[in-house]
Amino acid sequence: MLSYFSVTVTPEQILRAYFLLGASVILVLNGIPALRNRFLDYGARKSVPQSSRRSAMGDSANTFIGWLASIQVPHSWFTSFYVFLFLLLAFWAFEFVSRGYAFFWIVRETAVKAEDENTITGMALERVMLTWTLMSIQGARRLYECLAFTKPSQAKMWVGHWIFGMSFYAAMSIAVWVEGIPALRTATPSTISLALTMSSMRVLLFLPLFIVTSGVQHDCHRYLFSLPKYSLPVHPNFKSLICPHYTAECTIYFSLSVLAAPRGGVFNKTILTALALVLFNLGVTAESTRKFYEKKFGAESIKGRWRMIPLLY
């Protein structure tokens, strides 16, 4: 348990703060057009002319921000997110099995809080194993899609995008099990085997939701790959939504937050805050996509389509 200025902070609280801070930063950047164009938009969505951006701030600030925004990496580096996630999930699995130093340190910080409160809460072991497995499957599928459904491109993204993505998946590699530390601390190979055979009504409802939405997202990505660059999607999945693959992504994280709920809880709060970050991040991108389609194909072409949340957004 970490103490700063007499304030006790646990690993899961640090993760939640990171996810919520990330969502807040995205909202702030999105609220300032000059910063949104520099740091959030990329590719075809980056359409604000240079003259407009200059007029939005002073010369000195514009020079510094322009320099910062000019630090870019190839958009193909997006693939590294899922390589990193997969490697980290494997690393933490090894740490758990070997009772490694990094795992032991997080366990110790969390155990102190549980002892102070004289209570044992958290995810059941079967929930930890299930969530860990599903996140690994999600990472493997997205890695495959990045390798199979990516066209050669000179597109670049701001280096902050890449750093943010790497930090997000580093946090997610811990978030899927951090609320299950009490169960992991006492787990043995036999209890792990038993956990893998257990199920519940929650699993019977939300595991199919995870599987179906993963399939929908895969179909969307495969279809987008088949289109000529910057074409208007007309697939049935896109009939009422501009970005159904974003809808699927949010639903995947929502299902994980329910499946990973601790004993007596409805949601896993750590994964739920990760969902908030994903929701705001993809929501901003969905709005940029809507504006791009409207400008390129006309407002009539996307009439009746929601950005990513049916009936809401």
Side-chain angles (χ1 to χ4, degrees), residues 18 31 33 45 51-52 71 86 96 131 136 142 150 158 166-167 216 222 274 284 300 306:
Y18 161 77
R45 304 181 188 93
S51 59
S52 298
I71 306 175
F86 205 74
F96 163 61
T131 310
S136 299
R142 293 294 291 117
T150 300
W158 179 47
M166 296 292 274
S167 66
V216 169
R222 182 173 58 181
V284 166
E300 193 65 25
W306 298 90

Side-chain angles (χ1 to χ4, degrees), residues 20-32:
L20 294 177
L21 177 62
S24 300
V25 169
I26 289 171
L27 289 178
V28 170
L29 292 177
N30 186 60
I32 304 174

Side-chain angles (χ1 to χ4, degrees), residues 105-124:
W105 181 83
I106 295 178
V107 167
R108 183 187 62 192
E109 298 302 326
T110 305
V112 173
K113 179 172 183 281
E115 290 170 3
D116 288 345
E117 296 177 351
N118 194 31
T119 183
I120 298 178
T121 59
M123 300 164 63

Side-chain angles (χ1 to χ4, degrees), residues 114-144:
E115 290 170 3
D116 288 345
E117 296 177 351
N118 194 31
T119 183
I120 298 178
T121 59
M123 300 164 63
L125 183 59
E126 66 269 16
R127 298 288 174 83
V128 177
M129 296 294 103
L130 177 62
T131 310
W132 205 323
T133 300
L134 292 179
M135 196 67 209
S136 299
I137 292 172
Q138 167 73 359
R141 177 180 63 81
R142 293 294 291 117
L143 175 59
Y144 164 75

Side-chain angles (χ1 to χ4, degrees), residues 77-98:
W77 282 24
F78 201 89
T79 304
S80 65
F81 296 159
Y82 304 107
V83 174
F84 192 50
L85 171 63
F86 205 74
L87 290 176
L88 282 177
L89 287 169
F91 166 76
W92 287 117
F94 175 78
E95 281 285 297
F96 163 61
V97 171
S98 65

